Amino acid sequence: MAQSKRIVVERTQAAAAARASEIFKSVVSDSVKRRGVCGLALSGGTTPRSMYQHLARSAIIDEVPWSKVEVFFGDERDVPLDNVESNYGMVQRVLLDNAPIDLSRVHPMRADAEDIDAAAGEYERTIRQIIPVGENGVPRFDLIMLGAGGDGHTASLFPGGKALDEEEKLVVACHVPVLGRRRMTFTFPLINASENILLLVTGDDKADVVQRILEGDAVPAHNGSVGTDGRRTAALPAARIDPENGTFHVVLDAAAGKLLSKNTVSKS
Ligand code: 6PG
């Protein structure tokens, strides 16, 4: 279970991006203060991109101790890094090109590799070399940034996907039928080992999935999977985000949070 969960709702999408940027800065700075380094994993998607854009344009960009940040990616599409669809390419153009970061500390996923399974294993090895493990022996990121799709996917963990139930591997390649494409993605054992998770979701079209993620029945009557403990788990992938002994930061705009009951939202 998350040690703490804070769900904040900002009036507009821009205000949500700004709030997420502030949380990003304080978590990264705090990690560097405590550990001398920050292990960070970034997400693709237009909503996470709005935070990267805010970071790049605001004074915050100069307040982040970038020289001590190791940047990884929570998932990637099966395209070259300079392709317009690449998560790495988007983050580099929007954020990293505007940040004083040491590119030797930026670790792109190679989901365009001929042998994507081998590349996933390689990426996991790189994570294990750089990110210290927590008590459960799993590398513990200081911060993992996530978005959520309208179908409740997060990273590249899509409803019904085999990767949802992976309990050993930390990074896997997967085929996403709804996209007809391959992806590479963190799995939940790695995501939920993180010290902090920042989930940013905005837009009217996400209201239903946000309500189901944050208030839905974690034991759905239909097509949930059954964990090794026999407990059925949420059918919506993003409903399974739960940083053990970590902090779960959720930032929404009013449109995405409009179906939430009052007592779900943290008193900011
Ligand atoms: C990706 C992301 C994905 C994204 C969500 C939200 O590769 O696209 O990793 O998980 O964060 O789909 O995307 P939007 O904010 O664009 O809806």
Side-chain angles (χ1 to χ4, degrees):
M1 281 296 280
Q3 215 165 26
S4 79
K5 186 176 192 178
R6 280 190 56 71
I7 300 171
V8 295
V9 181
E10 293 290 348
R11 216 169 35 76
T12 65
Q13 188 270 341
R19 183 67 175 265
S21 300
E22 287 296 339
I23 294 170
F24 175 94
K25 182 197 74 176
S26 71
V27 168
V28 173
S29 306
D30 177 52
S31 306
V32 170
K33 232 177 265 144
R34 281 185 301 110
R35 288 197 322 110
V37 67
C38 172
L40 170 68
L42 295 175
S43 169
T46 56
T47 311
R49 186 178 64 206
S50 69
M51 185 194 87
Y52 307 146
Q53 283 168 328
H54 180 87
L55 272 172
R57 292 184 193 137
S58 75
I60 301 179
I61 195 84
D62 298 322
E63 295 163 16
V64 175
W66 293 106
S67 63
K68 305 285 185 204
V69 181
E70 293 284 350
V71 180
F72 289 82
F73 294 80
D75 71 324
E76 185 55 277
R77 291 92 178 272
D78 61 350
V79 294
L81 298 181
D82 58 359
N83 182 292
V84 67
E85 279 188 52
S86 162
N87 288 340
Y88 167 85
M90 179 273 282
V91 171
Q92 185 191 26
R93 285 189 300 277
V94 175
L95 178 61
L96 302 182
D97 283 352
N98 298 294
I101 193 148
D102 172 353
L103 284 178
S104 69
R105 287 178 177 265
V106 180
H107 311 281
M109 269 184 173
R110 296 312 306 253
D112 57 333
E114 194 53 41
D115 185 343
I116 190 172
D117 293 303
E122 185 53 38
Y123 202 71
E124 177 169 333
R125 276 189 292 282
T126 303
I127 290 172
R128 285 187 177 283
Q129 282 160 4
I130 296 172
I131 304 294
V133 295
E135 281 158 28
N136 60 0
V138 176
R140 187 170 172 83
F141 276 88
D142 294 292
L143 175 60
I144 296 180
M145 167 97 207
L146 293 171
D151 60 357
H153 81 261
T154 191
S156 283
L157 297 164
F158 284 79
K162 270 193 359 229
L164 283 180
D165 298 320
E166 176 58 53
E167 294 188 348
E168 298 304 320
K169 292 181 185 154
L170 305 178
V171 181
V172 295
C174 52
H175 175 70
V176 184
V178 69
L179 301 175
R181 305 287 292 276
R182 297 183 311 176
R183 292 280 188 100
M184 191 183 295
T185 186
F186 280 14
T187 59
F188 279 118
L190 183 55
I191 289 172
N192 285 333
S194 186
E195 176 95 21
N196 292 275
I197 293 176
L198 171 56
L199 174 68
L200 174 61
V201 189
T202 59
D204 206 60
D205 60 326
K206 300 283 178 76
D208 175 59
V209 81
V210 162
Q211 194 274 332
R212 289 171 62 201
I213 290 168
L214 298 177
E215 296 179 341
D217 175 352
V219 187
H222 60 285
N223 79 353
S225 54
V226 180
T228 47
D229 56 6
R231 199 169 59 83
R232 288 171 63 78
T233 51
L236 281 187
R240 296 173 59 177
I241 301 170
D242 183 13
E244 295 128 30
N245 312 318
T247 302
F248 188 13
H249 312 263
V250 181
V251 179
L252 309 167
D253 67 355
K258 71 182 185 184
L259 300 179
L260 293 179
S261 63
K262 285 241 174 322
N263 52 15
T264 297
V265 178
S266 309
K267 310 289 165 274
S268 28

